[in-house]
Amino acid sequence: MLEEVERWLATRSWSVTDRPLHRIMAAKRATGQSVSVVLPALNEEETVGDIVAIIRHDLMQQVPLVDEIVVVDSGSTDRTSQVAAAAGARVVHRDAILPRIPAVPGKGEVLWRSLLVTTGDVVCFVDADLREFSSDFVSGIVGPLLTDPGVDLVKAMYDRPLGGAAGQGGRVTELMARPLLNLHWPQLAGFVQPLGGEYAARRGLLEQLPFPVGYGVELGMLVDALHLVGLDALAQVDVGVRKHRHQDGQALGRMAAAIYRTAQLRLARGHLVRPALTQFERGADGFEPRTHSVDTEERPPMADIAEYAARRVA
């Protein structure tokens, strides 16, 4: 490990207990910064309501840390929108945001568009499939941004149990993202959960970053933020244990392909590898190939979008 990373781990890796809520609130009052929480959601009616309700109770009603909760529904066919609204979130449908640019499927697409429908100086992203959710996931990663002006982006770190076994989750992280980062961007080798969906950042940073439309968004954001603001402006906070719905092996393969493509584009802004992945499923006549396209589109920095610039002027 690089000496720079060892130093970073000692100075930019914290626990949620390092910043008590009263200290975070004092910093928020002193700086006047506002906080938006965004939940990208697709068919998450079983979990999204509890997450919204806990954030509202703990961080809006008991203490006014969070100023708005926005659920961006990316085309759910279940009751995600109704459940989220009933729990107290403002629900916005992906296709209603910036309609002149047709939406494409993907998590990164939703996160990018969320910048247009939120107002917080600090934007906190939380996946909508978390179970046994704790508001520490929000306060823990927002805290450093409110208390330390030198920090621009904070990732949550946590244990990820799988099938009752501790630390066995995050398979794409261990098999794809971590080797890529260690080999090509060793300054980022200290991140425990580089692909985790819980992170917060200053709006001023997010609006300058391109957003891969799919699963590559977290890796792309880390790499681009490193180049834009430097390692010392990045941090991570231990928030405990993350429990969520796990994907099957083929879905993980598609995620890994999108992440590799995101990395490859950043390594050489030229020739791209074939943007397709063939997998196999056993059918009536043996193994049958299924070919899936790999996300190849990226959205430009939001600061380049006329509607966003106009909103800021207004």
Side-chain angles (χ1 to χ4, degrees):
M1 183 176 290
L2 298 176
E3 289 186 10
E4 181 182 6
V5 176
E6 292 181 350
R7 179 190 54 77
W8 179 85
L9 283 169
T11 60
R12 285 291 187 263
S13 292
W14 298 296
S15 166
V16 67
T17 58
D18 290 336
R19 287 176 178 79
L21 199 52
H22 67 84
R23 179 184 166 197
I24 298 172
M25 286 305 305
K28 185 176 192 287
R29 288 190 293 268
T31 61
Q33 297 178 87
S34 55
V35 177
S36 299
V37 175
V38 173
L39 278 72
L42 177 63
N43 295 329
E44 304 293 358
E45 67 175 355
E46 294 184 5
T47 51
V48 68
D50 287 343
I51 297 171
V52 170
I54 289 169
I55 295 172
R56 278 188 55 81
H57 176 268
D58 293 359
L59 303 179
M60 296 183 82
Q61 296 169 350
Q62 289 199 333
V63 296
L65 176 63
V66 172
D67 297 282
E68 63 176 349
I69 305 175
V70 178
V71 171
V72 183
D73 190 330
S74 58
S76 297
T77 56
D78 65 1
R79 298 182 64 253
T80 290
S81 290
Q82 297 93 316
V83 170
R90 176 161 61 94
V91 178
V92 184
H93 291 271
R94 175 199 62 196
D95 295 352
I97 307 170
L98 200 61
R100 73 171 177 85
I101 300 178
V104 297
K107 179 183 179 182
E109 177 83 352
V110 173
L111 300 184
W112 181 71
R113 289 175 186 263
S114 75
L115 296 181
L116 264 167
V117 293
T118 53
T119 59
D121 303 302
V122 171
V123 182
C124 174
F125 299 119
V126 177
D127 281 349
D129 65 342
L130 304 188
R131 302 180 184 277
E132 301 179 30
F133 179 77
S134 166
S135 60
D136 286 349
F137 273 71
V138 174
S139 59
I141 57 179
V142 166
L145 293 163
L146 296 178
T147 59
D148 189 335
V151 175
D152 287 329
L153 184 149
V154 182
K155 297 278 295 189
M157 58 178 167
Y158 31 67
D159 293 318
R160 295 183 67 179
L162 175 65
Q168 297 302 305
R171 291 161 289 174
V172 176
T173 293
E174 299 304 329
L175 296 175
M176 176 60 70
R178 199 177 308 286
L180 281 172
L181 292 176
N182 276 262
L183 291 171
H184 298 295
W185 297 281
Q187 286 178 294
L188 297 174
F191 277 94
V192 176
Q193 297 291 352
L195 300 185
E198 291 68 49
Y199 48 98
R202 300 191 191 280
R203 178 176 294 274
L205 171 62
L206 293 172
E207 66 188 15
Q208 297 180 68
L209 298 176
F211 277 60
V213 298
Y215 285 118
V217 63
E218 275 85 21
L219 183 134
M221 191 176 294
L222 264 188
V223 171
D224 293 340
L226 173 68
H227 291 305
L228 194 62
V229 296
L231 182 60
D232 281 344
L234 313 180
Q236 60 185 351
V237 174
D238 187 348
V239 296
V241 179
R242 184 185 197 266
K243 297 181 179 180
H244 65 113
R245 183 186 67 251
H246 291 281
Q247 304 273 11
D248 63 32
Q250 292 211 335
L252 295 178
R254 296 190 290 275
M255 291 171 62
I259 290 161
Y260 177 76
R261 177 263 166 194
T262 300
Q264 192 271 343
L265 179 59
R266 280 153 179 77
L267 286 168
R269 296 275 178 176
H271 173 69
L272 290 178
V273 293
R274 173 176 173 265
L277 175 72
T278 299
Q279 297 176 314
F280 292 87
E281 297 178 7
R282 184 181 289 279
D285 300 318
F287 284 103
E288 300 173 356
R290 300 284 188 273
T291 299
H292 306 269
S293 62
V294 174
D295 297 321
T296 58
E297 190 167 355
E298 296 199 3
R299 295 306 191 188
M302 187 57 78
D304 295 343
I305 299 298
E307 289 89 337
Y308 187 79
R311 187 192 76 165
R312 297 193 68 182
V313 171

